[in-house]
């Protein structure tokens, strides 16, 4: 008789997006058979989506990187870890001695932020090398929030969030939590939570160029022309002051700059801005009145605002609305969470994420100790001191996610050394000299990633620990171990500390001896346990004993202002000089908007089955009709082109043209077209499924370089781009990831 199957249930949490859903995993003889949402999870309460529930299939792709690879004569050949580490280490020593430490750069992608140890060790590696050449994917989607928060609240990670559980009026601008989940806030089950607001008599108003999935469950949807949010917020503030909707007493007690903001917005009446936003003055006044009448109201924005060209100013003005209306630090308004430690005070005291470096190209200020991705190609291609000669790419795929990928590809091809740490052979990996195989999230132990842990950006604060659910395949290793070994090989101790390097190496050796024959690794659970103990939360094992998570104290109102603001004077700075100066120049931007009113504006659009650039390699997510992205057009715009459903269109920006099939969509504001991002994998031959998809990379249409990116935060403009759309004609103009026309 065959032996009975051994069935086991384990609990973990998803590390694909910020919802961090609690999951229940069934293992049969040690292999994952099924993943379900954990109904008993203290915060996520049985919520999950198809990506999280099928991640074991996604992560067990035959295309997964399983061995270190070195490019020889254009081909990636298998090498040992010892060879990869020693050769990379030798090349780093050589580059450091010939140039400067800053000649070695690192690009950190979003995936790095979903583990605790990965970003800490990646930064420790760069500190050991003595390089400040860090680039982060945040400058594609959220650096504006960090840059503004540092000026307004004193620390980039001080990010007030809407009190979703108690608000009576939630105004969501340029965000679609029903599909993308929330950002800078962990909330489970967005549809349920938005309905709860309405069930208790509150209002949810969505302001967006598309009637999004979120707009469909909101109380009301208002169209806005892409890229004009900053003018909407200016008029919102102007009207707020005009109707006496400012809590002047609270502003006087806890803030500076209210009068300056009032002067600044004085001329931006709803009548004036309606011309570019498309929002009628009466409608804007009605929204402001509803906001004022609510007992607890909040405005929230995300990528649609962040990436639209004025992300910093727009977010700053939105924060001014939340603060000046008296809703900051108020139940039902916006709250500032507490993490497991007072990270803002720690950061300010120790200079963590507070460096004031200047980029060589363009003189951009660093944000969170990183430079804008939009100048990375220039930093590689421009000769001179500190020119980037070597690049590490960790947890990201910049050739698909950054602006002007064609130019970036040419820059990468010119590097002396490109090392990619990833789970799959991406487009970026296809150019790398060395590719190092990493474990996937379910193959490693962890805590909820750094945002909730350090900052309490959770609507329901909790802690959770997970063990690795699946073992590594072959020679895959976690990034912390990889950076420890590379630091040793390069003769550049992690964190610049020989003691730390030695202690971690010794811990790795001991742990690996105990693991007998498996891939060597640092004791990840031990390090996570030390982190928990250092913050007074007991050890890792104790937290594991609470498999559905451990609730932490709820957020409270009146817990931030006058107590935890880390500016020099402890007040919220509503009118930082750099932001005020930039706002005074908005007249010119307004005139440009008016001058280009007749042109189509391109926005991005997230699809349920895909996640940024990396879930297209799973057949089920891209089967049949889902095997390409489409250009969505309002029927009126399509008729004018003229284009019909299914026909091919050439979409042209100032810098590129892509060819893509059209789909008409009534839910778009006329004058707006939408193209989902993350596509364009045709040259990633190692991705056997994704390379057969037909979509195009929308970011080819976006410009990079110092003149194209936003000055305050270094954000690239990836939405609200003026484009022309016409029926496809002439030779195939579809762009590959390299930006070169296909033959
Ligand atoms: S919403 Fe989906 S992808 Fe995001 S954490 Fe939950 S299961 Fe994972």
């Amino acid at each position: 008789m065959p032996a009975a199957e051994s069935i086991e249930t384990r609990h973990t949490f998803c590390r694909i997006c910020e919802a961090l859903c609690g999951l229940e995993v069934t293992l049969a003889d040690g292999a994952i058979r099924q993943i379900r949402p954990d109904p008993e999870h203290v915060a996520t309460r049985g919520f999950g989506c198809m990506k999280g529930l099928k991640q074991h299939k996604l992560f067990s792709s035959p295309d997964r990187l399983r061995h270190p690879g070195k490019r020889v004569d254009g081909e990636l050949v298998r090498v040992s870890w010892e060879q990869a580490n020693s050769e990379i280490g030798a090349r780093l020593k050589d580059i450091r001695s010939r140039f400067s430490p800053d000649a070695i750069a690192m690009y950190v992608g979003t995936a790095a932020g979903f583990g605790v140890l990965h970003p800490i060790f990646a930064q420790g590696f760069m500190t050991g090398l003595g390089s400040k050449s860090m680039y982060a994917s945040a400058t594609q989607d959220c650096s504006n929030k960090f840059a503004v928060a540092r000026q307004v609240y004193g620390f980039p990670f001080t990010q007030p969030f809407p009190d979703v559980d108690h608000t009576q009026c939630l105004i969501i601008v340029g965000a679609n939590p029903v599909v993308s989940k929330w950002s800078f806030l962990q909330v489970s089950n967005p549809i349920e939570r938005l309905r709860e607001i309405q069930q208790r008599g509150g209002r949810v108003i969505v302001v967006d160029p598309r009637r999004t999935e979120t707009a469909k469950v909101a109380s009301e949807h208002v169209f806005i022309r892409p890229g004009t949010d900053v003018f909407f917020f200016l008029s919102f503030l102007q009207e707020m002051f005009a109707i006496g909707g400012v809590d002047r007493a609270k502003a006087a007690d806890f803030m500076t700059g209210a009068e300056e903001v009032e002067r600044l917005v004085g001329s931006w009446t709803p009548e004036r801005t309606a011309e570019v936003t498309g929002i009628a003055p009466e409608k804007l006044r009605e929204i402001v009145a509803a906001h004022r009448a609510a007992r607890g109201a909040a405005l929230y924005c995300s990528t649609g605002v962040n990436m639209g060209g004025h992300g910093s100013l727009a977010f700053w003005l939105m924060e001014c609305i939340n603060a000046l209306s008296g809703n900051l630090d108020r139940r039902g308004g916006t709250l500032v969470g507490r993490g497991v430690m007072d990270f803002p005070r720690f950061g300010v005291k120790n200079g963590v994420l507070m460096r004031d470096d200047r980029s060589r190209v363009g003189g951009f200020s660093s944000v969170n100790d990183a430079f804008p991705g939009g100048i990375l190609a220039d930093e590689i291609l421009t000769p001179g001191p500190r020119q980037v000669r070597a690049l590490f790419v960790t947890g990201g795929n910049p050739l698909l996610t950054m602006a002007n990928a064609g130019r970036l590809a040419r820059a990468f091809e010119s590097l002396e050394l490109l090392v990619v740490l990833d789970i799959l052979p991406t487009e970026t990996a296809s150019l790398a000299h060395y590719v190092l195989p990493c474990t996937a999230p379910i193959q490693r132990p962890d805590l909820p990633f750094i945002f909730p842990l350090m900052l309490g950006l959770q609507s329901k604060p909790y802690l959770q620990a997970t063990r690795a659910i699946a073992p590594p395949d072959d020679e895959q290793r976690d990034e912390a171990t990889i950076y420890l070994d590379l630091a040793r090989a390069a003769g550049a101790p992690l964190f610049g500390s020989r003691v730390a390097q030695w202690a971690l190496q010794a811990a790795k050796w001991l742990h690996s001896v105990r693991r007998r024959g498996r891939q060597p690794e640092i004791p990840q659970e031990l390090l996570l346990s030390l982190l928990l103990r250092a913050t007074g939360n007991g050890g890792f094992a104790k937290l594991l004993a609470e498999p559905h998570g451990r609730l932490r104290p709820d957020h409270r109102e009146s817990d931030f202002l006058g107590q935890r603001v880390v500016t020099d004077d402890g007040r919220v700075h509503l009118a930082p000089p750099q932001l005020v100066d930039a706002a005074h120049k908005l007249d010119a931007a307004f005139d440009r908007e008016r001058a280009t009113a007749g042109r189509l504006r391109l926005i991005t659009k997230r699809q349920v089955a895909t996640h940024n650039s990396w879930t297209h390699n799973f057949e089920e997510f891209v089967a049949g009709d889902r095997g390409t992205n489409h250009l969505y057009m309002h029927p009126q715009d399509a008729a004018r082109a003229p284009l019909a459903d299914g026909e091919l269109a050439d979409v042209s920006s100032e810098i590129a043209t892509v060819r893509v099939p059209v789909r008409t969509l009534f839910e778009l504001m006329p004058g707006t077209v939408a193209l989902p991002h993350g596509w364009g994998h045709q040259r990633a031959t190692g991705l056997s499924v994704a390379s057969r998809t037909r979509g195009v990379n929308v970011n080819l249409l976006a410009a990079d370089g110092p003149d194209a990116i936003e000055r305050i935060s270094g954000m690239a403009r990836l939405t609200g781009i003026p484009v022309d759309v016409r029926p496809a004609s002439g030779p195939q103009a579809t762009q590959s990831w390299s930006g070169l026309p296909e033959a």
Side-chain angles (χ1 to χ4, degrees):
M1 287 233 328
E5 236 178 3
S6 145
I7 302 288
E8 189 190 346
T9 300
R10 289 210 216 153
H11 294 91
T12 185
F13 54 89
C14 183
R15 284 157 274 174
I16 293 177
C17 86
E18 285 175 68
L20 298 170
C21 298
L23 301 174
E24 198 171 80
V25 183
T26 305
L27 295 125
D29 289 336
I32 298 177
R33 172 169 287 177
Q34 192 185 21
I35 302 181
R36 294 175 305 280
D38 177 3
E40 293 177 61
H41 192 275
V42 293
T44 64
R45 306 183 298 194
F47 182 72
C49 82
M50 64 199 288
K51 287 169 288 202
L53 305 185
K54 298 197 173 183
Q55 60 182 289
H56 53 308
K57 296 183 181 169
L58 191 68
F59 292 142
S60 61
S61 158
D63 298 336
R64 276 288 300 276
L65 294 166
R66 290 178 168 80
H67 311 279
K70 174 185 179 181
R71 192 157 311 277
V72 179
D73 296 332
E75 295 296 315
L76 205 60
V77 298
R78 180 175 171 178
V79 293
S80 68
W81 274 108
E82 290 69 27
Q83 182 182 345
N85 287 337
S86 83
E87 289 182 7
I88 294 169
R91 290 175 80 166
L92 290 176
K93 282 180 186 166
D94 175 52
I95 290 169
R96 272 214 305 171
S97 70
R98 281 189 292 129
F99 307 105
S100 76
D102 288 332
I104 303 163
M106 178 179 281
Y107 173 87
V108 184
T110 309
F114 286 90
V116 170
L117 299 179
H118 182 171
I120 294 174
F121 277 71
Q123 179 59 61
F125 176 66
M126 292 298 278
T127 304
L129 288 169
S131 172
K132 293 178 179 167
S133 298
M134 286 292 271
Y135 297 83
S137 57
T139 44
Q140 275 108 262
D141 58 13
C142 62
S143 269
N144 60 320
K145 291 191 171 182
F146 294 126
V148 168
R150 179 169 172 179
Q151 298 195 34
V152 173
Y153 304 114
F155 191 65
F157 277 73
T158 300
Q159 296 287 341
F161 54 82
D163 182 9
V164 176
D165 286 340
H166 303 106
T167 192
Q168 287 298 108
C169 178
L170 180 60
I171 300 173
I172 299 173
V173 187
N176 186 13
V178 166
V179 172
S180 303
K181 312 303 171 290
W182 300 75
S183 177
F184 285 50
L185 178 62
Q186 185 199 0
V187 186
S188 68
N189 201 340
I191 293 181
E192 189 181 288
R193 306 303 275 280
L194 294 175
R195 288 202 171 123
E196 282 169 4
I197 296 172
Q198 295 165 76
Q199 280 157 9
R200 59 175 181 262
R203 277 178 82 174
V204 179
I205 301 169
V206 171
V207 180
D208 202 287
R210 181 169 72 89
R211 187 164 176 265
T212 60
E213 294 76 0
T214 302
K216 288 174 191 168
V217 297
S219 326
E220 186 176 352
H221 168 237
V222 178
F223 277 129
I224 185 169
R225 184 153 161 83
T228 65
D229 324 273
V230 69
F231 302 110
F232 168 72
F233 291 131
L234 278 168
S235 283
F236 198 115
L237 271 168
Q238 194 274 346
E239 174 68 8
M240 237 173 73
F241 277 107
I243 63 172
V246 171
D247 187 338
R248 292 187 186 269
K250 194 168 181 178
D253 284 347
F254 299 113
M255 306 166 200
T256 61
E259 298 75 19
E260 212 163 344
V261 173
E262 184 173 12
R263 276 196 298 278
L264 178 77
V265 302
S267 65
W268 293 99
T269 61
E271 282 72 18
R272 184 178 173 200
T273 58
E275 188 182 348
V276 298
T277 62
I279 299 176
E282 316 80 63
K283 175 51 69 183
L284 190 141
R285 291 199 165 96
E286 188 192 316
I287 296 171
V288 177
H291 173 263
R292 186 186 181 197
R295 281 172 292 103
L299 276 80
Y300 169 82
C301 72
S302 192
T303 51
V305 172
N306 300 350
M307 306 193 309
H310 299 292
S312 294
L313 291 181
F315 177 63
W316 163 54
L317 293 167
M318 191 192 83
E319 290 300 276
C320 285
I321 295 169
N322 284 329
L324 286 167
S325 60
N327 282 300
L328 172 60
D329 204 20
R330 176 188 184 191
R331 184 180 158 95
T334 56
L335 301 174
V336 178
R338 284 180 183 265
V340 294
M341 63 184 280
D342 190 346
F343 189 44
R345 207 162 293 284
F346 171 86
V348 170
K349 187 170 167 211
N350 298 289
V352 177
L353 304 176
M354 294 289 284
R355 287 210 313 251
D356 279 312
D357 302 326
R358 289 267 164 187
S359 67
R360 182 178 67 108
V361 173
F364 287 89
S365 301
S366 58
V367 176
N368 286 348
D369 298 350
F371 294 123
I375 55 163
L376 180 54
D378 297 85
E379 293 282 11
I380 295 170
L381 295 170
T382 310
R386 291 169 61 203
Q387 179 183 3
V388 171
R389 317 270 176 164
L391 177 69
F392 285 76
V393 174
T394 194
N397 186 11
L399 281 190
L400 267 204
T401 59
M402 279 171 54
N404 202 351
R407 184 158 171 264
L408 195 62
R410 287 191 286 280
F412 284 4
E413 281 164 347
S414 74
L415 286 164
E416 289 190 27
L417 176 66
L418 175 61
V419 181
V420 170
L421 285 74
D422 213 318
I423 61 171
L424 284 163
T426 63
E427 290 76 6
T428 308
S430 72
L431 289 186
H433 300 102
Y434 293 89
V435 179
L436 306 180
C438 300
T439 48
I442 50 173
Q443 294 171 304
R444 52 190 172 218
D446 227 320
L447 304 168
F449 82 114
I450 264 162
F451 268 46
L453 193 72
M454 298 299 203
L455 301 158
L457 287 167
Q458 300 167 294
S459 68
K460 193 92 186 147
Y462 72 93
L463 268 180
Q464 187 175 10
T466 179
R467 289 221 139 110
I469 300 296
D473 277 340
D474 293 334
E475 297 186 51
Q476 293 160 348
R477 293 183 181 176
D478 66 282
E479 293 86 353
T481 301
I482 296 172
Y483 284 119
L484 176 69
D485 291 343
L486 286 173
R488 182 185 191 190
L494 275 182
F495 310 106
S497 162
R498 292 197 184 284
V499 175
Q501 178 77 29
W502 180 86
L504 286 163
Q505 272 175 217
K508 178 191 149 199
W509 180 80
L510 271 174
H511 186 61
S512 303
V513 167
R514 275 198 217 110
R515 286 162 50 86
R516 281 194 298 262
R518 284 183 279 165
Q519 279 295 301
E521 67 171 40
I522 59 163
Q524 298 172 75
E525 290 189 13
L526 175 68
L527 296 181
L528 295 169
S529 200
L530 291 174
L531 181 68
L532 282 171
R533 286 184 192 284
T535 54
N537 286 282
F540 192 77
K542 197 169 164 197
L543 193 52
L544 274 179
E546 298 172 77
H548 310 292
R550 177 198 300 163
L551 284 174
R552 297 181 59 240
D554 267 333
H555 305 298
R556 288 179 288 130
E557 66 176 350
S558 307
D559 184 41
F560 173 64
L561 294 172
Q563 301 171 62
R564 291 190 289 128
V565 182
V566 292
T567 52
D568 295 347
D569 56 5
R571 288 164 170 263
V572 172
H573 294 176
L574 294 175
Q578 188 192 22
L579 296 169
V580 172
D581 286 352
H584 280 303
K585 295 177 188 140
L586 278 170
D587 287 302
F590 185 73
D591 290 342
R592 277 197 302 277
E593 286 294 339
R594 292 167 71 197
T596 57
R599 282 191 82 185
L600 293 169
R601 289 297 177 102
L602 176 72
I603 60 172
T604 57
K605 179 178 183 300
R606 195 190 282 280
Q607 294 163 305
V608 179
T610 63
H611 188 73
N612 295 344
S613 68
W614 64 276
T615 48
H616 302 86
N617 202 45
F618 181 41
E619 197 78 57
E620 211 176 311
F621 288 174
V622 293
D625 198 32
R626 291 199 293 212
T628 182
N629 51 357
H630 293 84
L631 181 75
Y632 293 93
M633 298 185 81
H634 189 278
Q636 283 173 19
D637 294 323
R640 205 169 295 127
L643 281 156
D645 268 302
E647 289 183 352
L648 287 174
D650 282 347
V651 186
S652 303
S653 69
E654 306 305 327
I655 65 160
T657 297
V658 297
R659 182 169 292 179
V660 63
V662 163
R663 253 192 198 162
T664 51
L665 187 68
F666 273 104
E667 291 154 357
L668 281 167
M669 184 179 193
T672 303
V673 292
L675 185 56
H677 62 282
W679 293 85
H681 294 281
Q682 293 80 18
R683 295 254 182 121
T685 49
L687 301 176
S688 60
V689 177
S691 60
R692 285 185 279 112
T693 58
R694 303 180 305 282
V696 296
N697 178 4
V698 63
N699 291 334
L700 289 167
L701 299 170
D704 71 337
D707 297 331
I709 61 179
E710 197 225 80
R711 176 53 53 187
I712 298 162
S713 63
M715 288 281 293
R717 181 173 196 165
L718 297 178
T719 193
I721 300 169
V723 291
D724 298 311
V725 178
R726 58 188 175 280
S729 65
Q732 169 65 277
T734 301
Q735 304 284 326
S736 71
W737 60 269
S738 70
L740 303 172
E742 299 282 7

